[in-house]
């Protein structure tokens, strides 16, 4: 007569009467935790989770610095007192009305650009694919300039023009690059060509404008947070947050498409529909940011790859990418405001860092290709 075997802890947790599974496992030599209902497990890699927590902590510190530094400096304790409602008066005006919209815009816009870049790099399986490289940012800027010069401006019109320009650029690049499918290298080369043409159109539109509008548009074209106010920052941040909250629904399809279209189709993914939806969300993210801050370069290029390498993930982790993007733009804006002698557009700082990163990435890819 055999003795009944006592089930192990993982088996007990996965028993029919239990709803959730929580068990450690090994994934390619890395520890992970599987959490969730038995038929819809969510894999959380411990290293990725640790990287996300560290990045979020860094973003919190940078945000605190952004609220504390300025012509009227405050200590971190004073900022915390204002945010928790323990201090009122002029300090609250400085923190909540003057500095908070810009700091929030930098964090959310950085996350939005990074996530958009992560989507394009996943779809093309190429680390050089990002909205600013392939022309989507310039397309959004073209639509914004048309709305500014011919339709009278206004944030609603600028946003609509930016979205229309970004979508038009995406459709043009897709149609020109499509040859029985989308290949990453062809998509990037076509995008660079479209980007160059749109940059010329933008220059022509600025040159034909009056001096005041041209100066405003030129500063905007560099990517700047200097003109951000609560009236523009909060609606744009809310729209970007909603769009980023939608993307996790497409995350399983994106992970499968990262393995190739054939593999994704074999696992039941409708590749065409999933790609179109992901591109639409990414273009909308870029357009919302461009309508408020102009085309901020290189955040969407660098943040996804930095997050992937530090997290050690096989694909691009969107949550870590968003955290790194927020940190990159917040740090760049602090440098633009307080480190250089004159206040400069934040896009100038991101171009300096992003250009160095692009050179490193090209050298790295060339060596890997050998």
């Amino acid at each position: 007569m055999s003795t009944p075997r006592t089930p192990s802890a993982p088996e007990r947790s996965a028993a029919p009467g239990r709803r959730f599974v929580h068990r450690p496992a090994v994934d390619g030599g890395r520890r992970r935790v599987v959490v969730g209902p038995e038929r819809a497990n969510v894999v959380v890699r411990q290293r990725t989770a640790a990287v996300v927590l560290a990045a979020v902590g860094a973003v919190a510190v940078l945000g605190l610095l952004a609220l504390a530094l300025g012509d009227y400096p405050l200590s971190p304790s004073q900022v915390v007192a204002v945010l928790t409602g323990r201090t009122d008066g002029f300090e609250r005006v400085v923190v909540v009305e003057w500095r908070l919209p810009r700091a929030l815009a930098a964090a959310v816009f950085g996350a939005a650009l990074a996530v958009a870049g992560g989507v394009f790099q996943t779809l093309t399986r190429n680390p050089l694919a990002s909205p600013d490289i392939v022309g989507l940012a310039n397309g959004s800027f073209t639509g914004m300039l048309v709305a500014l010069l011919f339709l009278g401006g206004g944030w609603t019109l600028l946003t609509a023009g930016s979205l229309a320009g970004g979508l038009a650029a995406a459709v043009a690049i897709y149609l020109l690059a499509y040859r029985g499918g989308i290949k990453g290298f062809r998509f990037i080369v076509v995008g660079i060509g479209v980007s160059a043409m749109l940059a010329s159109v933008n220059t022509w539109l600025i040159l034909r404008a009056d001096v005041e509008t041209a100066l405003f548009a030129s500063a905007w074209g560099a990517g700047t947070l200097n003109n951000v106010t609560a009236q523009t920052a909060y609606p744009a941040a809310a729209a970007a947050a909603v769009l980023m909250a939608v993307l996790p629904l497409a995350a399983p399809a994106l992970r499968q498409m990262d393995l190739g279209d054939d593999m994704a189709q074999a696992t039941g993914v409708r590749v065409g529909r999933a790609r179109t939806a992901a591109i639409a969300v990414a273009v909308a993210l870029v357009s919302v940011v461009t309508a408020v801050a102009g085309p901020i370069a290189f955040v969407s290029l660098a943040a996804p790859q930095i997050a992937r390498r530090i997290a050690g993930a096989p694909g691009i982790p969107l949550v870590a990418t968003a955290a790194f993007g927020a940190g990159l733009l917040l740090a760049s804006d602090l440098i633009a405001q307080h480190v250089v002698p004159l206040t400069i557009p934040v896009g100038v700082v991101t171009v300096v860092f992003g250009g160095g990163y692009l050179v490193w990435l090209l050298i790295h890819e060339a060596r890997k290709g050998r």
Side-chain angles (χ1 to χ4, degrees):
M1 182 175 180
S2 61
T3 304
R5 185 175 62 90
T6 303
S8 62
E11 291 173 329
R12 288 196 301 269
S13 63
R18 300 296 181 93
R19 182 182 178 186
F20 289 96
V21 180
H22 184 287
R23 62 183 183 273
V26 178
D27 180 21
R30 298 182 177 90
R31 296 284 294 179
R32 67 178 183 172
V33 175
V34 185
V35 181
E38 294 183 50
R39 295 185 180 179
N41 292 333
V42 177
V43 177
V44 181
R45 290 179 175 82
Q46 293 180 356
R47 177 174 171 178
T48 302
V51 168
V52 170
L53 290 177
V56 170
V59 169
V61 172
L62 291 170
L64 193 63
L65 289 175
L67 297 177
L69 298 177
D71 293 334
Y72 187 82
L74 298 171
S75 67
S77 60
Q78 289 175 304
V79 173
V80 172
V82 170
L83 295 178
T84 55
R86 291 185 286 110
T87 300
D88 209 340
F90 185 65
E91 292 179 354
R92 179 174 179 80
V93 172
V94 171
V95 172
V96 175
E97 297 184 17
W98 294 356
R99 297 176 184 171
L100 183 59
R102 179 168 184 156
L104 179 65
V108 177
F109 291 176
L113 291 173
V115 168
V119 169
F120 275 98
Q121 290 174 15
T122 299
L123 293 177
T124 61
R125 299 187 296 280
N126 193 310
L128 291 175
S130 70
D132 48 342
I133 296 294
V134 301
L136 299 184
N138 277 336
S140 295
F141 188 46
T142 302
M144 189 187 68
L145 284 175
V146 170
L148 176 66
L149 298 178
F150 300 106
L151 302 178
W155 189 78
T156 303
L157 282 175
L158 291 179
T159 303
S162 179
L163 180 60
L167 287 174
V171 171
I173 295 168
Y174 185 87
L175 293 177
L176 291 172
Y178 188 84
R179 293 291 185 276
I182 291 293
K183 302 297 183 183
F185 181 75
R186 185 191 300 127
F187 184 86
I188 292 171
V189 171
V190 171
I192 291 174
V194 172
S195 179
M197 290 188 291
L198 289 173
S200 299
V201 172
N202 295 341
T203 302
W204 177 75
L205 289 173
I206 292 174
L207 289 176
R208 74 182 305 275
D210 59 83
V211 175
E212 184 177 353
T213 304
L215 290 174
F216 173 76
S218 297
W220 207 339
T224 179
L225 297 172
N226 295 338
N227 300 317
V228 168
T229 62
Q231 287 72 27
T232 57
Y234 293 149
V242 170
L243 289 168
M244 285 188 286
V246 170
L247 269 180
L249 299 176
L254 289 175
R255 283 195 296 269
Q256 294 301 109
M257 292 168 66
D258 195 30
L259 302 174
D261 290 355
D262 294 338
M263 180 66 71
Q265 288 176 345
T267 56
V269 176
R270 297 183 178 180
V271 174
R273 180 182 299 179
R275 178 181 286 114
T276 301
I279 289 177
V281 174
V283 171
L285 285 171
V286 175
S287 301
V288 168
V289 175
T290 304
V292 176
I296 300 175
F298 287 109
V299 174
S300 55
L301 174 70
Q305 293 301 315
I306 293 174
R308 178 182 181 179
R309 283 170 167 77
I310 294 179
I316 295 177
L318 291 182
V319 177
T321 295
F324 274 88
L328 282 175
L329 193 54
L330 266 173
S332 299
D333 192 43
L334 286 173
I335 293 172
Q337 289 186 80
H338 307 296
V339 176
V340 296
L342 297 175
T343 300
I344 60 175
V346 67
V348 175
V349 179
T350 60
V351 164
V352 171
F353 287 119
Y357 169 79
L358 181 59
V359 171
W360 174 85
L361 182 62
L362 290 172
I363 295 173
H364 177 76
E365 291 297 316
R367 289 177 177 173
K368 188 171 68 173
R370 296 197 191 104

